Amino acid sequence: MATFDRSDDLRGAQFEGADLSEARFSATRLQQARFVNSTLRGASFVGSDLSGVVVRGGDVQGAEIESPWLFDGDDPLLVNGVNVIPLVDAELNRRFPGRAERGATDPEGLRTAWAALESTWASVVDRVAAMPEGTTDVSVAGEWSFAQTLRHLVMAIDTWLGRAILGQDQPYHPIGQPNDDYAADGHDPAVFATRAPAYSEVLEVWGAKMTAVRNFLAAVTRDELAATRQNPWAPDHAETVLSCLHTILDESWEHYRYALRDLDAIEAGRSG
């Protein structure tokens, strides 16, 4: 099985008649690469930029695309000439009541959106509580466990509320779970604990962060929503308080979807 990682530069490479079955491409540079009559069955692209990729006459049955940035920007994702992004968005809104409100732009709408999100997360926390002990630490296909997902949301709220909106110099709680590339991107991971905290502690801290967002929204005004802030990851890029809040909402809904997917897999595996 061929494996390509961030150290491999395959820009402009030509693959003709190549058998790349089960290949893994992780953060690999493949700009302008061309695959002709090649087999990519079972290939996996992780952390890769596939924007602008064109597949002509390809067999894509059973292919899976998981992109948290699918709804960012105005570029389409075309399947047989049809932009499927609005269709995917509408289907996710149908599956997850309350998700459609995540784009609210006024204080009352944001408060309603956050209340829906809190209720949604409360239901999945209750579901996990009724599952066998240890479920919170189970990883499915190498993804974050449920406990790690909550820890990441702690980190996300600390980043976008604490650091970006409130301007705190050191907003991070030690149990936060940073992105996999946090250190590689030049950030100091020393603020985060190296030990895995007890799930009860994770639940308590995550709940406090959710309450912090709710309390902020309870008093926020339209003028405050329009105020400019610095993007915590790209300081030269301007944000608004509203766009920071939208990021928190988007992160929370995406990771809820991931958590639900993995809990379903855990239960299916147990019943099978």
Side-chain angles (χ1 to χ4, degrees):
M1 180 180 70
T3 301
F4 304 90
D5 59 28
R6 65 172 63 247
S7 65
D8 292 307
D9 189 342
L10 300 175
R11 285 175 287 190
Q14 301 285 321
F15 298 88
E16 185 162 357
D19 186 351
L20 294 167
S21 301
E22 308 299 330
R24 294 187 63 84
F25 297 84
S26 179
T28 307
R29 291 176 289 276
L30 283 161
Q31 293 97 317
Q32 306 305 316
R34 184 173 174 82
F35 299 84
V36 181
N37 296 326
S38 299
T39 299
L40 285 163
R41 182 182 296 272
S44 177
F45 298 83
V46 181
S48 304
D49 182 355
L50 298 175
S51 56
V53 166
V54 175
V55 179
R56 300 281 190 216
D59 184 356
V60 294
Q61 293 186 39
E64 179 181 350
I65 298 175
E66 181 63 71
S67 173
W69 304 283
L70 183 62
F71 310 107
D72 295 350
D74 300 319
D75 290 334
L77 173 61
L78 301 177
V79 177
N80 288 0
V82 178
N83 181 14
V84 300
I85 292 178
L87 306 179
V88 174
D89 197 28
E91 175 60 17
L92 291 177
N93 288 341
R94 185 191 68 80
R95 293 185 184 185
F96 307 122
R99 179 182 178 274
E101 280 71 54
R102 74 194 189 285
T105 58
D106 61 273
E108 188 57 38
L110 288 166
R111 288 190 279 270
T112 299
W114 193 253
L117 182 68
E118 285 193 288
S119 176
T120 296
W121 268 102
S123 66
V124 77
V125 167
D126 288 344
R127 173 183 174 183
V128 169
M131 295 175 74
E133 184 177 353
T135 296
T136 56
D137 295 319
V138 175
S139 170
V140 176
E143 299 290 341
W144 281 333
S145 67
F146 188 77
Q148 288 175 311
T149 295
L150 295 187
R151 291 173 60 193
H152 178 68
L153 292 176
V154 167
M155 185 261 193
I157 293 174
D158 283 344
T159 298
W160 291 97
L161 177 63
R163 185 177 174 187
I165 295 177
L166 301 179
Q168 299 169 355
D169 290 334
Q170 204 302 87
Y172 295 113
H173 192 285
I175 74 163
Q177 176 85 36
N179 300 320
D180 293 341
D181 293 332
Y182 187 80
D185 289 339
H187 306 291
D188 183 6
V191 65
F192 299 110
T194 55
R195 67 173 181 86
Y199 177 65
S200 59
E201 181 184 357
V202 173
L203 204 57
E204 179 181 359
V205 174
W206 168 76
K209 299 299 180 181
M210 296 287 281
T211 299
V213 177
R214 186 200 319 143
N215 291 341
F216 178 82
L217 290 174
V220 76
T221 66
R222 287 180 179 271
D223 288 344
E224 288 170 335
L225 290 176
T228 57
R229 292 292 188 270
Q230 193 176 63
N231 186 299
W233 305 126
D236 294 336
H237 181 68
E239 299 284 350
T240 62
V241 169
L242 178 61
S243 66
C244 293
L245 291 169
H246 280 166
T247 298
I248 296 173
L249 281 159
D250 287 340
E251 284 261 345
S252 297
W253 276 110
E254 285 297 292
H255 285 287
Y256 166 76
R257 183 167 62 85
Y258 300 152
L260 210 62
R261 173 200 64 196
D262 291 347
L263 290 173
D264 288 345
I266 291 170
E267 289 194 324
R270 187 172 68 248
S271 63

